[in-house]
Amino acid sequence: AIRMTQSPSSFSASTGDRVTITCRASQGISSYLAWYQQKPGKAPKLLIYAASTLQSGVPSRFSGSGSGTDFTLTISCLQSEDFATYYCQQYYSYLLTFGGGTKVEIK
Amino acid sequence: QITLKESGPTLVKPTQTLTLTCTFSGFSLSTSGVGVGWIRQPPGKALEWLALIYWNDDKRYSPSLKSRLTITKDTSKNQVVLTMTNMDPVDTATYYCAHSPKSADYFDYWGQGTLVTVSS
């Protein structure tokens, strides 16, 4: 199975900051990558698919980039509602795998 | 709009079989390319994909759990059922079902999740 590694596992940031989360695949996955946001007690919410395509209704401060094995999720100007845990997921292989998550906390 | 909701027992005993039902609306599982998947999340831990069933009854399972899982669909009832045999306390988790759009195995709509505790 393809292993997805996210870094960092957690970090603190302030409202207004530009933040970047990294996801690395153990083998090339082209652009078959999705990003999700999850808040405590809630289901994950799809933010980005195909590595860089913003899901309908998701604010434009979210962006994704990368292909092959290295991917990033960027939040250009962190808002209070963005403090959450973020997961990447590959769908290159039909055996789907998620990353371990990155928790964005308030500094 | 698309909605999904999970139902099933909240408590199961070790060695028992878990049966979860996902009831959905706003789409048909007979539409070409569409799928419904199951994902779980132990308390405080990461998401783990379990299984996925497609419009054409093709099925995919997590390799680590394949021997214990069965996924089926009832298109007429708009339901997908997941069974997991030989439950263990480590299977305690919130179980989600989710919609997979045409020919793409990511999940754009999720149910609210159901917490299943495995304990004697």
Side-chain angles (χ1 to χ4, degrees):
Chain A
I2 298 174
R3 188 171 60 255
M4 306 301 292
T5 303
Q6 288 183 236
S7 60
S9 57
S10 67
F11 67 96
S12 299
S14 300
T15 302
D17 284 352
R18 178 183 180 89
V19 302
T20 298
I21 297 168
T22 297
C23 178
R24 174 165 288 176
S26 60
Q27 66 184 74
I29 60 169
S30 185
S31 295
Y32 293 98
L33 186 97
W35 287 99
Y36 301 88
Q37 175 194 67
Q38 187 180 34
K39 297 181 179 179
K42 300 295 186 182
K45 172 187 174 183
L46 177 68
L47 298 176
I48 286 168
Y49 61 93
S52 61
T53 302
L54 206 62
Q55 172 71 349
S56 176
V58 174
S60 59
R61 63 180 180 273
F62 291 92
S63 63
S65 65
S67 67
T69 59
D70 294 317
F71 301 85
T72 59
L73 172 71
T74 299
I75 309 173
S76 60
C77 182
L78 199 64
Q79 302 297 301
S80 57
E81 60 265 34
D82 301 335
F83 291 98
T85 301
Y86 295 84
Y87 293 94
C88 61
Q89 178 229 323
Q90 67 79 21
Y91 52 102
Y92 176 82
S93 163
Y94 67 81
L95 302 177
L96 312 178
T97 45
F98 288 89
T102 296
K103 186 174 183 179
V104 180
E105 298 176 297
I106 301 173
K107 185 181 286 185
Chain B
Q1 79 280 19
I2 290 175
T3 64
L4 306 97
K5 188 172 184 179
E6 307 85 354
S7 60
T10 57
L11 179 66
V12 297
K13 290 180 167 49
T15 76
Q16 287 187 335
T17 294
L18 172 68
T19 299
L20 294 173
T21 300
C22 176
T23 303
F24 57 85
S25 63
F27 69 96
S28 172
L29 203 37
S30 59
T31 299
S32 177
V34 169
V36 171
W38 286 93
I39 303 98
R40 72 177 179 180
Q41 185 173 38
K45 296 189 177 181
L47 301 167
E48 179 185 19
W49 170 71
L50 302 177
L52 181 55
I53 190 166
Y54 298 89
W55 64 282
N56 60 357
D57 210 38
D58 190 16
K59 300 165 188 177
R60 305 283 187 232
Y61 295 102
S62 167
S64 61
L65 293 165
K66 184 175 183 177
S67 63
R68 299 173 54 204
L69 295 174
T70 303
I71 189 170
T72 60
K73 64 180 176 68
D74 186 330
T75 305
S76 64
K77 292 183 178 179
N78 281 352
Q79 290 182 332
V80 170
V81 175
L82 181 76
T83 60
M84 181 180 291
T85 61
N86 194 25
M87 292 292 284
D88 183 272
V90 299
D91 296 313
T92 294
T94 296
Y95 287 76
Y96 297 98
C97 64
H99 171 270
S100 176
K102 277 192 172 186
S103 303
D105 295 341
Y106 57 85
F107 302 104
D108 55 355
Y109 295 90
W110 294 63
Q112 63 189 24
T114 186
L115 175 61
V116 178
T117 301
V118 184
S119 174
S120 54

